[in-house]
Amino acid sequence: MRLFIHWIFIAFFLFAGNQIAAQKLVPIPYVSGINLPIDLKHCGDNRVFVADRAGRIRIIDADGTLRTVPFLNITTKISSSGGEEGFLGMAFSPDYKTSGKFYVDYTSIIGGQLTTVVEEYRVSATDSNVADVSSALTILKQLQPFSNHNGGNLMFGKDSFLYINFGDGGSGGDPFGNGQNKKIFLGKILRIDISNSTINQPYVVPPSNPFYNDTTEGIKKEIWAYGVRNPWRSSVDRITGDLWIADVGQGAHEEIDYQAANDVGGRNYGWNIAEGSYCYNPSSGCNTQGLTSPVYDYSHAFGIAVTGGYVYRSAQSKSLFGMYLFSDFGYKWIDGIRQSDGALSGDVTHLITAAQVPGNPVSFGEDRFGDQYILFNGNNTVFKLVDTSYLRRPKAYFTPILQGNGVFLLQALQGKDLAYQWLKDSTIIPGATSADYSTTVVGNYTLEVTNTLHLKDTSDVFLLGSSINLISFDARKISGSAIQMDWKTVMEQNVPGYNIQKRQNTESEFSNIGFAPSKSFNSFSNRELDYSFTDFSALSYTKVFYRLQIQHTDGSFTYSDVHIFTSGDVKNNYSISPNPAKSRMQIYVYDYSTPLAMVIYDNTGKKVKTAALDQQRTNIDLPVSKGVYVVQVSSRDGSNKVRQKLVVL
């Protein structure tokens, strides 16, 4: 019967007209029979878990069968399943396979007061499809002054810490100013370590939390971010670890906030000073210093309550891969956006209109493959979001993982009904048709993935050998006689270290002045690594040049850009990165001392962009067409001009 319903919906969407024909994403009924579904998560295996507002968690097996017996039933603890109360969220520990721990967030009446409760449970030791109700451990509680804006989202970051969303406490306009008050959990996102939870100490605050060392009396060191109104649904990008926060607005704007995985936390998202990108209190002229603007917001002319989703990471659709999906509870559409360096990249993609959904979207979810699901308020069916385009291509993506002793596991993004083929140096590796492939042989590796439509995608190349991605190399004066060099890498493989080299005055050759060993583990790292070196020699010369000589295990070298410092009449030497650039570049002035002027000219000599450079490093947006340009940096009076070529792609 369920299969028959699937075909009915597919037929409807395929033949509903031109608007639908261009459509890629379709909500396909997956499983019915769940009263008021509110959240959907997976525990790392092929099952998905669906919670309802009343306090039950049900299991959907890999074959799409809904189990009759609830995984967890805590209905007697729930305050109400109406309004914004009830069971609100859940999350499974990253080590669930061994610990069996998971977490729930719900509202309850305790001592006559509405209270948010976050609890830990464990799976039964004898039945993996049933939780041990007696294992309940209270992690934390928070009194709710009003019945709305309870937040309730739970998620684990790539750091394995638990993130907990709290709304501002309700009513309207944040009457108690909770969003900006760091002495209360309300209006915050918390970050805690529950890896060694006990009755006496259910959690600890990670020392890396932004306010851990803040000595302000009463400050809540659990806070990771603040200034949110009602972050009903947030998610972590399963590949990058980036955090996406959908914060429901007050009366005019809905917002989506973004935070990169390497962020140090402590961001203030503005509520109730601002609502989205606009002043709220006061309504104009508000002080926005220190506030982090949303990556995207929209007015109530287009929606009234944002429902956050996930970044699409399923191998089933290359066109959707990397797109953040979200919806609006009132206006019902489903849209998608992408970001670049925390800013909206490209246009908003309108994926599904209100006429194509069966209700008000209340929550998204994803399974272990990254396939996404959506739940609708008052609808007892779980829907799967499927790319139904007849030209849909799969996504070939894999992660190299060093296993030790020089063995690399090339771990592909898995998906159902996909075929895999590994290649070395563009040649098929016989028998290498599993999702994962282990090797020690130097070469250029790629992955081909083919779907049931016989459409194929080829991954990016992974070089097993000696390689490095040098993100930045900067140099700056830190005193009258010292220059500090800082550089950052995001990928290192078989790089023993870096020779810091210097040439001064009229010397024709660089010479080594220091060495920095690689910080990678077992000669491999795919995370960001930071390095620093200071040259304390006196500035007794006219001009000095610095560069990095990057060592490789095969005995070869590569080099960084050169940084130049002068004494006396200083030229405005600078670097541009990236070059070629797309929509944005960064200018780094080597010997910055006073404000400068920047002008970009096209190949006809026409001025197309001007900007003031008031600091050593400046980001410049490029509202220009593709082509070759000249970037000129000069003193404010137009003297001391230095020009470089810029390619815009």
Side-chain angles (χ1 to χ4, degrees):
M1 181 64 181
R2 189 169 64 85
L3 197 57
F4 174 73
I5 296 175
H6 282 200
W7 283 111
I8 291 293
F9 263 70
I10 291 173
F12 172 79
F13 283 105
L14 288 177
F15 297 100
N18 291 335
Q19 184 179 10
I20 306 299
Q23 167 94 17
K24 289 189 174 112
L25 200 63
V26 174
I28 304 294
Y30 185 63
V31 169
S32 297
I34 302 171
N35 187 40
L36 297 176
I38 196 66
D39 200 12
L40 184 149
K41 298 287 174 64
H42 71 94
C43 70
D45 60 27
N46 290 339
R47 299 173 295 174
V48 292
F49 296 71
V50 184
D52 64 35
R53 292 290 292 270
R56 288 175 291 264
I57 300 176
R58 305 282 295 278
I59 293 177
I60 302 174
D61 284 327
D63 63 357
T65 301
L66 177 66
R67 286 186 171 267
T68 304
V69 177
F71 175 68
L72 178 72
N73 188 340
I74 54 171
T75 53
T76 57
K77 295 183 175 184
I78 305 299
S79 62
S80 167
S81 58
E84 296 182 25
E85 298 178 38
F87 189 105
L88 302 177
M90 62 180 171
F92 290 83
S93 175
D95 66 351
Y96 178 80
K97 185 176 181 179
T98 55
S99 71
K101 298 197 302 186
F102 66 99
Y103 299 82
V104 299
D105 185 305
Y106 62 88
T107 59
S108 185
I109 302 297
I110 301 176
Q113 176 68 52
L114 182 66
T115 304
T116 288
V117 180
V118 178
E119 279 183 336
E120 174 187 286
Y121 287 89
R122 293 177 184 264
V123 69
S124 167
T126 58
D127 189 345
S128 63
N129 293 308
V130 177
D132 180 1
V133 180
S134 67
S135 67
L137 170 65
T138 299
I139 300 298
L140 56 80
K141 299 177 183 177
Q142 171 62 52
L143 297 180
Q144 298 290 154
F146 301 98
S147 64
N148 57 340
H149 304 182
N150 300 314
N153 190 83
L154 299 179
M155 57 192 171
F156 280 92
K158 282 279 192 177
D159 50 20
S160 296
F161 295 135
L162 178 64
Y163 290 72
I164 305 169
N165 289 12
F166 277 104
D168 64 9
S171 187
D174 192 10
F176 302 130
N178 291 328
Q180 296 297 314
N181 179 5
K182 294 195 287 290
K183 297 182 180 181
I184 193 168
F185 287 158
L186 298 174
K188 313 296 184 304
I189 295 177
L190 312 184
R191 177 182 185 248
I192 60 174
D193 182 354
I194 44 71
S195 57
N196 296 302
S197 54
T198 64
I199 294 177
N200 294 329
Q201 190 174 37
Y203 69 88
V204 297
V205 177
S208 54
N209 269 20
F211 304 111
Y212 184 83
N213 295 314
D214 194 317
T215 58
T216 304
E217 183 178 356
I219 194 168
K220 297 294 186 182
K221 299 185 178 184
E222 295 91 338
I223 295 172
W224 177 254
Y226 64 108
V228 291
R229 181 180 177 274
N230 190 26
W232 163 239
R233 284 294 178 251
S234 302
S235 63
V236 174
D237 186 328
R238 63 195 292 144
I239 288 180
T240 66
D242 298 338
L243 176 61
W244 292 78
I245 307 160
D247 195 9
V248 180
Q250 179 63 45
H253 300 278
E254 303 298 306
E255 74 179 84
I256 296 171
D257 300 309
Y258 166 83
Q259 188 179 113
N262 60 355
D263 199 287
V264 296
R267 291 189 178 271
N268 181 357
Y269 290 108
W271 179 250
N272 68 352
I273 298 170
E275 180 188 8
S277 303
Y278 302 84
C279 287
Y280 179 81
N281 183 24
S283 59
S284 63
C286 60
N287 182 7
T288 60
Q289 184 176 0
L291 305 187
T292 297
S293 298
V295 68
Y296 176 66
D297 60 3
Y298 59 91
S299 78
H300 279 198
F302 303 100
I304 59 172
V306 65
T307 298
Y310 292 79
V311 176
Y312 190 91
R313 293 301 186 186
S314 170
Q316 300 292 345
S317 175
K318 183 173 184 176
S319 63
L320 293 171
F321 192 81
M323 182 181 292
Y324 174 74
L325 308 186
F326 64 102
S327 183
D328 187 88
F329 180 85
Y331 279 42
K332 304 179 185 180
W333 44 254
I334 299 175
D335 282 357
I337 57 174
R338 299 178 187 270
Q339 66 79 31
S340 176
D341 295 328
L344 188 66
S345 176
D347 297 326
V348 177
T349 301
H350 303 299
L351 297 166
I352 299 177
T353 68
Q356 299 160 9
V357 299
N360 304 86
V362 69
S363 193
F364 289 75
E366 61 178 1
D367 60 24
R368 83 172 187 91
F369 297 110
D371 291 322
Q372 291 199 28
Y373 301 78
I374 189 166
L375 310 175
F376 297 94
N377 190 49
N379 191 311
N380 71 353
T381 298
V382 174
F383 291 79
K384 189 172 185 177
L385 293 171
V386 180
D387 182 351
T388 60
S389 168
Y390 68 94
L391 291 177
R392 66 183 179 275
R393 296 169 64 88
K395 174 65 179 180
Y397 182 94
F398 68 92
T399 303
I401 302 172
L402 183 62
Q403 303 280 280
N405 298 320
V407 178
F408 273 88
L409 170 64
L410 308 182
Q411 192 170 64
L413 190 68
Q414 296 185 30
K416 297 179 180 179
D417 302 320
L418 297 175
Y420 300 86
Q421 177 62 64
W422 293 94
L423 298 89
K424 175 180 171 293
D425 300 329
S426 301
T427 301
I428 288 176
I429 303 173
T433 56
S434 298
D436 297 342
Y437 181 71
S438 294
T439 183
T440 59
V441 181
V442 172
N444 293 288
Y445 289 87
T446 52
L447 171 67
E448 287 184 350
V449 176
T450 307
N451 62 17
T452 55
L453 299 177
H454 305 291
L455 296 175
K456 183 183 298 184
D457 184 45
T458 302
S459 71
D460 293 336
V461 176
F462 169 68
L463 168 63
L464 178 53
S466 185
S467 63
I468 182 172
N469 185 355
L470 183 66
I471 300 176
S472 63
F473 172 52
D474 300 325
R476 58 191 174 92
K477 288 182 180 179
I478 58 174
S479 69
S481 61
I483 292 178
Q484 179 175 307
M485 282 150 278
D486 300 290
W487 64 99
K488 184 190 295 286
T489 69
V490 74
M491 171 75 178
E492 288 187 24
Q493 184 177 317
N494 296 329
V495 174
Y498 305 83
N499 288 317
I500 296 88
Q501 297 190 327
K502 174 179 170 181
R503 179 169 67 86
Q504 61 189 35
N505 292 337
T506 59
E507 294 174 349
S508 60
E509 301 293 335
F510 280 91
S511 59
N512 293 340
I513 61 171
F515 176 75
S518 171
K519 294 182 179 180
S520 62
F521 179 72
N522 284 344
S523 297
F524 177 75
S525 173
N526 59 2
R527 61 186 178 87
E528 288 190 359
L529 299 176
D530 295 295
Y531 297 88
S532 182
F533 179 86
T534 302
D535 179 14
F536 290 101
S537 60
L539 291 171
S540 58
Y541 38 77
T542 303
K543 184 176 292 187
V544 63
F545 304 82
Y546 292 97
R547 73 179 182 186
L548 296 177
Q549 184 190 59
I550 305 166
Q551 294 186 357
H552 300 275
T553 53
D554 61 2
S556 64
F557 298 98
T558 53
Y559 296 90
S560 70
D561 292 335
V562 176
H563 284 274
I564 307 169
F565 285 88
T566 60
S567 60
D569 184 19
V570 178
K571 278 287 186 183
N572 302 309
N573 292 302
Y574 64 96
S575 62
I576 300 171
S577 62
N579 190 6
K582 290 185 179 179
S583 60
R584 177 182 288 189
M585 71 175 183
Q586 183 180 95
I587 289 184
Y588 183 88
V589 181
Y590 298 148
D591 200 14
Y592 177 83
S593 58
T594 59
L596 304 170
M598 183 218 70
V599 181
I600 300 178
Y601 299 92
D602 65 14
N603 58 8
T604 68
K606 179 182 178 182
K607 188 185 300 184
V608 296
K609 178 79 175 183
T610 61
L613 306 181
D614 296 321
Q615 54 192 356
Q616 192 164 40
R617 190 194 307 271
T618 306
N619 290 318
I620 304 293
D621 290 324
L622 298 172
V624 291
S625 303
K626 296 179 181 179
V628 179
Y629 296 83
V630 173
V631 179
Q632 174 183 293
V633 172
S634 65
S635 301
R636 289 290 181 91
D637 62 4
S639 64
N640 222 356
K641 298 175 182 177
V642 180
R643 297 187 175 191
Q644 289 190 41
K645 184 183 295 184
L646 167 69
V647 178
V648 177
L649 300 177

